[in-house]
Amino acid sequence: MTRRALDGLRVVEIADEIAGPYCGKLLAGLGADVTKIETPERDPLRHYGPFPGGEPDPDRAGLFEYLNAGKRRVVLDLTSGDGGEGARRLIADADVLIASDTVDLPPLDPGLVVVQISNFGQHSPFRDRAVTPLTMQAASGWISSRDPDRPPVQAGARIAEYVAGAYAALGVLTALRIAPTDRVTEVDVSVLEALLSTLPYPMMQAERMRALGMPTNVRQTPMLGVVRAADGWVGINCLTGQHWLDVCSMLELPEFGEQQFEIMMGGPERAEFYAAAQPWLSARTVTEIVELGQALRIPAAPVADGAGALQCAQYVKRDFFVDAGGADWSFRQPGPPYRLSKTPTVTAHDEQTPRRPRTAVAADPTLPFAGLKVLDLTTFWAGGYLTCYLGAFGADVVKVESIQRPDGFRYSAAWPHEGDRWYEHSALWQATNLNKRDITLDLTSQEGRVIAYRLAAQADVVVENFSPRVVEQFGLDYPSLVALRPDVIAVRMPGFGLDGPWRDYVGWALNIEQVSGMSAVTGYAQGPPCNVQGPADPIVGVHAGVALLAALDHRRRTGEGQLIEVAQIEVGAAITAEPVIEYSMNGIVRPREGNRQRGYRQGVYPADGDDAWVALSVRDATDWSQLIDAMGHPDSLERQHVSTVDHDVFDAAVAAWTRTRSPANLVATLRKHGIPVEEVVTPEQMYDLPGLDDRGYYEEFHHAVTGLRRYPGWPMRITPGPARHHRFGSPTLGQHNNEILGGLGLSRDELAGLRRDRVIGERVMS
């Protein structure tokens, strides 16, 4: 029998749609025995599709099968005596219960971990507010003006719903480390906070602009972003000033090399630049542009839709997409979003291993990771987000940078005119590096590598997210780490994977969005694909955390460490599954849907005010009659029905009504009628959303250079568990050199020699 990381863990799932089942899917893939209870009404995804041939068939719904493969499935009427008793028996034999917040739970046995995902949190004053995925995106800042000629647009393919499910799985595995045997442990996941947690850049950027006396509503546009090539769309993504200069050289437009800021901020030079670049782009294929860009170390990638992802050479070589379906129907779906070397993940299994005894790991429920030593070799966001989480709840995290090449994230929204330590000003770097100690080591030097090896020999976990060749050239790859500590768990998070033809490609969050399909499903059918612009990095970190906690549980039981590989494009594809499933099932690449969703009439509409918008959804006939009443019975909609009214007619009528009223008036009116509606939140409003202070979502910490700042927390509350989201503020560069290196036994003279030779230091080397 193949060993899995979560063998013996029993899970019961009473949840539908995407978030709860995705949480269960992640646990099942790691070996947990998951039993899904459906009510006689069945999961709504059974009626959502995609279906073979496009004909509705609740027993052959592709997205439902993707989310629920590998689970035991039973149908129980929870309101009946027999059904309720059957559910109670299953729950009594479980370690974890994943429950919809609408389920009436029976009395629960002590020792059980119960996770519930709700829109605003179980104890929020807004718990009962009517919402849809569209209005939740509006409320959390996910809807933005990605296409300036049309209304702000949502992230497509219901990506946001997977995000909450991934955080729920992370919360479950965290809670299992502290679950007492004398009471139930509750994991309360807020969808709103999950979305805020994975897209904090806009609000932190707005706060920085406010502090500098600059407009807060200016959002930098990634350059070049998504552009048209001869045979499709391609993403060219400048992360650094050098990238920009290299792009201008590649496009044969060196005269624009000094205008990056003006073009990025939307100045008049922007249109001139794109007009000059388009002939060069139109004369070359996507493949030619990507290969040339990557040869110049420019983060360039194809924009893949459902068909393109299945044909992508990197996914094909790594056998990422797998067959699924039934005896008389089949489709292709994403495989597991991570790979564990000793406890392989699965997409389906029938084995039931003996149930494990219920035992907590951490003595202190407020510090579930106490005693865990983590060596953080990460850069930018995805890896740092994972280690920030571990440090928040007790792990001792040592972050390694160098004065020659500090973490490039330090330069995000920080400018040299802010002083000689301007690289300490990045709010997003600070938010990702709370709860850590920081040292500097020049790993190109023998002395620096020797110290790194000593630190690695003491570490339970080593995390890195560089391109593969970086840590390998320093002798910090997995085989080298095992030689230093046999039971180490190494988490490697390359953009494209540790093997395959794209192994050494450079990339960052926007490349992940583009290759995985996120960009292709976001935007309007008549317009270009749009970058979601943010969530890829944090959600990769969350998935890596799920895999790591499962591996730690396996090591606790067996003493065995392992390598965890988290290819970032594979995480992106796992939460953008629907387009691939639909194409493999029916040969259809569905057009981008803008702000629409199958089964609803909805959209984002202008309100009276400067760049003011509201998002609203009509879910059924009741919402329809209430909207008609709120609008004063307009002739264009009066005699129509929600299921047959033309989308364009609906949009025109609603927009004509909303643009005459303020956002506050629209929200108040429609909520009174029970219709899901939210104002589209702008970055400068995200810190002030009502209800978050009551839940303690934001916390203030003092930084030695920039003073007090507010930082986002985590979107789950564990009770009993950690009372706060973070333990302490972020460090300055090399702040803990003396403390950590002295702890290794280095003398003052030795430290002075390392500073003299620039192996260590506390200021960026000029």
Side-chain angles (χ1 to χ4, degrees):
M1 180 183 293
T2 303
R3 290 181 303 169
R4 313 294 182 194
L6 296 181
D7 278 345
L9 185 71
R10 301 286 177 88
V11 180
V12 171
E13 176 190 306
I14 315 177
D16 54 27
E17 294 284 0
I18 291 177
Y22 189 63
C23 172
K25 174 182 175 64
L26 292 177
L27 299 178
L30 289 162
D33 188 86
V34 181
T35 299
K36 181 182 180 69
I37 298 177
E38 286 189 81
T39 64
E41 294 78 22
R42 313 303 290 271
D43 190 320
L45 281 188
R46 287 187 178 274
H47 306 283
Y48 179 82
F51 307 103
E55 295 298 321
D57 183 344
D59 292 321
R60 300 199 295 180
L63 190 58
F64 174 85
E65 289 298 327
Y66 169 66
L67 288 163
N68 294 286
K71 303 175 186 176
R72 304 173 195 280
R73 307 178 197 174
V74 298
V75 178
L76 295 174
D77 181 356
L78 302 181
T79 64
S80 72
D82 289 344
E85 181 57 31
R88 281 190 288 273
R89 285 198 300 269
L90 287 170
I91 294 170
D93 193 42
D95 305 290
V96 176
L97 173 61
I98 305 168
S100 166
D101 66 322
T102 60
V103 173
D104 291 327
L105 298 177
L108 302 174
D109 292 338
L112 185 69
V113 171
V114 181
V115 58
Q116 290 187 288
I117 306 169
S118 55
N119 292 303
F120 298 97
Q122 290 297 307
H123 306 293
S124 168
F126 311 122
R127 185 177 184 273
D128 297 323
R129 181 183 294 176
V131 300
T132 64
L134 175 73
T135 63
M136 284 306 300
Q137 287 199 37
S140 60
W142 269 51
I143 292 178
S144 67
S145 298
R146 302 185 179 102
D147 187 339
D149 298 325
R150 296 178 175 87
V153 67
Q154 66 179 338
R158 304 180 67 172
I159 296 165
E161 295 169 70
Y162 291 84
V163 169
Y167 275 109
L170 184 65
V172 164
L173 296 179
T174 303
L176 284 169
R177 295 179 65 87
I178 57 178
T181 57
D182 61 345
R183 62 167 296 178
V184 170
T185 300
E186 299 176 359
V187 182
D188 172 14
V189 180
S190 161
V191 176
L192 174 70
E193 293 168 15
L195 300 188
L196 284 171
S197 296
T198 46
L199 198 63
Y201 187 89
M203 63 181 169
M204 304 197 81
Q205 176 78 336
E207 195 83 342
R208 289 282 290 127
M209 296 297 101
R210 181 183 292 113
L212 294 170
M214 299 172 65
T216 60
N217 60 350
V218 176
R219 187 171 183 177
Q220 295 180 6
T221 303
M223 297 300 297
L224 278 65
V226 175
V227 291
R228 173 75 81 173
D231 61 343
W233 299 99
V234 62
I236 303 175
N237 310 294
C238 297
L239 185 59
T240 67
Q242 187 61 53
H243 286 154
W244 174 253
L245 294 175
D246 292 340
V247 163
C248 290
S249 176
M250 180 179 75
L251 296 174
E252 301 171 12
L253 298 172
E255 64 271 24
F256 289 96
E258 300 302 318
Q259 300 180 42
Q260 180 184 12
F261 183 79
E262 292 81 4
I263 294 171
M264 184 181 296
M265 302 304 289
E269 301 87 351
R270 182 179 179 82
E272 180 185 351
F273 170 78
Y274 276 98
Q278 193 56 56
W280 188 96
L281 296 164
S282 298
R284 291 161 177 82
T285 66
V286 170
T287 299
E288 289 171 338
I289 294 170
V290 170
E291 289 180 351
L292 178 56
Q294 288 289 341
L296 296 171
R297 309 302 291 167
I298 296 168
V303 177
D305 55 22
L310 284 169
Q311 297 160 9
C312 171
Q314 185 68 1
Y315 288 132
V316 171
K317 180 65 175 178
R318 287 170 57 81
D319 296 319
F320 174 64
F321 292 106
V322 298
D323 292 326
D328 59 344
W329 67 293
S330 65
F331 61 90
R332 302 279 283 168
Q333 68 177 25
Y338 27 62
R339 305 181 186 207
L340 286 72
S341 63
K342 301 293 180 63
T343 55
T345 48
V346 293
T347 54
H349 62 93
D350 296 319
E351 303 166 351
Q352 186 171 35
T353 53
R355 181 183 170 189
R356 63 176 65 182
R358 295 181 182 177
T359 57
V361 179
D364 183 349
T366 67
L367 297 173
F369 306 127
L372 190 68
K373 293 185 178 297
V374 179
L375 184 60
D376 180 341
L377 301 176
T378 68
T379 186
F380 285 95
W381 203 351
Y385 194 72
L386 164 60
T387 53
C388 180
Y389 182 80
L390 299 173
F393 300 138
D396 179 14
V397 180
V398 175
K399 181 173 179 66
V400 180
E401 304 181 76
S402 73
I403 61 173
Q404 292 82 6
R405 294 191 66 180
D407 186 341
F409 214 17
R410 286 184 175 275
Y411 303 134
S412 179
W415 293 278
H417 72 261
E418 295 184 89
D420 63 346
R421 299 180 74 185
W422 62 277
Y423 49 83
E424 300 285 5
H425 286 250
S426 171
L428 201 51
W429 186 91
Q430 291 179 15
T432 308
N433 289 280
L434 300 162
N435 318 303
K436 305 177 187 180
R437 298 187 293 163
D438 191 284
I439 66 169
T440 51
L441 289 174
D442 178 9
L443 296 180
T444 66
S445 70
Q446 178 67 20
E447 298 96 329
R449 290 194 299 275
V450 168
I451 294 171
Y453 300 155
R454 293 179 64 185
L455 291 169
Q458 297 179 356
D460 300 290
V461 177
V462 179
V463 183
E464 67 88 15
N465 65 313
F466 286 89
S467 59
R469 61 186 178 84
V470 174
V471 296
E472 292 167 6
Q473 72 185 9
F474 294 140
L476 290 166
D477 55 315
Y478 180 61
S480 301
L481 293 172
V482 169
L484 296 168
R485 176 164 178 166
D487 67 344
V488 70
I489 297 176
V491 183
R492 302 196 63 184
M493 304 166 66
F496 302 99
L498 294 178
D499 57 13
W502 293 7
R503 175 186 188 272
D504 292 320
Y505 274 17
V506 294
W508 60 297
L510 298 188
N511 298 96
I512 308 310
E513 295 177 12
Q514 291 152 5
V515 176
S516 67
M518 291 186 192
S519 298
V521 295
T522 299
Y524 293 92
Q526 304 82 12
C530 295
N531 295 319
V532 184
Q533 293 185 27
D537 270 302
I539 201 59
V540 167
V542 172
H543 281 76
V546 171
L548 171 59
L549 295 190
L552 283 167
D553 186 68
H554 173 76
R555 190 179 76 167
R556 178 178 65 86
R557 290 180 288 112
T558 67
E560 186 176 56
Q562 58 184 309
L563 168 65
I564 301 172
E565 179 192 358
V566 188
Q568 297 185 30
I569 61 169
E570 293 177 356
V571 174
I575 66 171
T576 319
E578 187 178 345
V580 164
I581 294 171
E582 183 151 23
Y583 179 78
S584 68
M585 190 177 285
N586 298 318
I588 294 173
V589 175
R590 185 178 291 273
R592 284 178 288 282
E593 296 180 325
N595 290 312
R596 295 172 180 170
Q597 180 179 320
R598 277 174 268 183
Y600 290 174
R601 293 296 183 269
Q602 64 179 25
V604 174
Y605 304 103
D608 182 23
D610 183 25
D611 198 28
W613 302 86
V614 294
L616 67 89
S617 299
V618 177
R619 302 162 293 182
D620 50 31
T622 300
D623 282 354
W624 180 254
S625 68
Q626 289 294 317
L627 178 65
I628 298 298
D629 184 52
M631 293 176 64
H633 301 269
D635 292 340
S636 59
L637 301 180
E638 177 73 71
R639 286 177 289 278
Q640 304 218 41
H641 189 271
V642 62
S643 62
T644 58
V645 64
D646 180 81
H647 281 285
D648 292 335
V649 170
F650 176 80
D651 288 343
V654 173
W657 177 66
T658 60
R659 64 168 43 98
T660 64
R661 291 163 171 78
S662 70
N665 175 272
L666 289 165
V667 168
T669 299
L670 294 174
R671 281 188 187 153
K672 185 171 66 175
H673 285 78
I675 296 169
V677 61
E678 296 288 343
E679 182 177 356
V680 173
V681 169
T682 56
E684 63 270 22
Q685 296 172 309
M686 292 166 73
Y687 266 124
D688 301 317
L689 295 178
L692 293 180
D693 286 343
D694 292 340
R695 285 175 58 85
Y697 177 69
Y698 293 112
E699 292 185 341
E700 277 192 339
F701 289 95
H702 185 272
H703 185 271
V705 175
T706 60
L708 274 180
R709 274 185 175 161
R710 284 189 296 172
Y711 304 97
W714 311 105
M716 73 282 282
R717 306 290 179 278
I718 302 174
T719 307
R724 299 190 62 184
H725 291 288
H726 299 290
R727 289 192 295 150
F728 50 84
S730 52
T732 56
L733 184 67
Q735 179 178 336
H736 301 96
N737 282 335
N738 288 350
E739 176 183 324
I740 293 170
L741 301 184
L744 291 177
L746 275 70
S747 68
R748 289 184 179 180
D749 288 344
E750 288 173 311
L751 292 174
L754 292 171
R755 284 191 174 88
R756 182 183 61 249
D757 295 338
R758 299 191 171 185
V759 176
I760 68 172
E762 288 74 37
R763 301 291 180 98
V764 170
M765 191 173 77
S766 57

